[in-house]
Amino acid sequence: MPQRGRPRGFDADEALERAVEVFWRQGYEGASVSDLTAAMGINKPSLYAAYGGKEELFRKAVARYAEKDMAYARSAFAEPTAYEVVATLLRENVLAVTRPDRPAGCLSIQGGTACSSENAPVAGFLAASRLAGEGALADRFARAVAEGDLPAHADPVALARFVMIVSEGQAVHAAAGVSREDLRQAAEIALAGFAAASGARVPEQATGTV
């Protein structure tokens, strides 16, 4: 039996997907509860009953986005070398932020980089999420140093910060209308810069791709 206030046939996963899109296009503050309920096909009491409120829904939407739309990042971390980790992250990110069936850019960037003081916890939540990803990447580079894949002088923290700055910049530029091909070209330049700065071993077939 459906919970009180929910329409018959309510699909929580499908409704959450629609919420992801609304938050992605309009940001946290730009997305009203009315916008969300209209897109999700539910009423306001149903939203609060199913998700707890707008902020709780947003956090669930970000988790859903990370699980589904950023699955390529988990695959990238499994690559055998630091160079391949970065190559996969930057190249796949270009595709992700320019998908024709999704809003341009990235939910974690557009969702709430600028919020009023009332919604500061939302901006803080997104910033912490991005920094957690940067920390995980630094750990992956530290492992590469320990394994001899990167030289001992490589700085995992600085390298991770560089890669994250590039990937976040890709999202900002995609949202501004920069083409996939232009973002791809910039990604290859950044990848060459990462290799030069880190001392990473570049696969022979990867040379000359910029």
Side-chain angles (χ1 to χ4, degrees), residues 11 29 56 65 89 92 100 107 118 154 169 181 186-187:
D11 186 326
E29 290 197 343
E56 292 82 355
Y65 170 82
L89 275 175
E92 291 297 321
L107 173 60
E118 179 184 356
E181 187 51 41

Side-chain angles (χ1 to χ4, degrees), residues 76 82-93 187-188 191 194:
Y83 181 91
E84 290 169 290
V85 168
V86 177
T88 301
L89 275 175
L90 295 184
R91 291 168 179 165
E92 291 297 321
N93 192 55
E188 295 302 325
L191 183 56
F194 170 82

Side-chain angles (χ1 to χ4, degrees), residues 74-209:
R74 293 189 293 277
S75 299
F77 275 58
E79 292 288 345
T81 69
Y83 181 91
E84 290 169 290
V85 168
V86 177
T88 301
L89 275 175
L90 295 184
R91 291 168 179 165
E92 291 297 321
N93 192 55
V94 167
L95 300 180
V97 299
T98 56
R99 283 176 53 178
D101 61 330
R102 286 296 213 180
C106 170
L107 173 60
S108 66
I109 302 295
Q110 278 116 267
T113 50
C115 282
S116 65
S117 57
E118 179 184 356
N119 292 315
V122 171
F125 159 68
L126 290 174
S129 297
R130 293 193 299 271
L131 287 174
E134 183 177 310
L137 187 57
D139 290 343
R140 178 62 183 84
F141 291 156
R143 193 184 98 196
V145 172
E147 293 172 348
D149 173 45
L150 289 179
H153 64 74
D155 185 335
V157 173
L159 292 170
R161 185 175 303 117
F162 168 73
V163 173
M164 292 299 293
I165 287 171
V166 172
S167 66
E168 290 167 7
Q170 288 174 333
V172 171
H173 280 67
V178 175
S179 72
R180 175 176 285 185
E181 187 51 41
D182 285 346
L183 291 173
R184 196 193 312 270
Q185 182 183 52
E188 295 302 325
I189 293 170
L191 183 56
F194 170 82
S198 67
R201 290 175 293 179
V202 181
E204 188 173 335
Q205 67 271 22
T207 58
T209 57

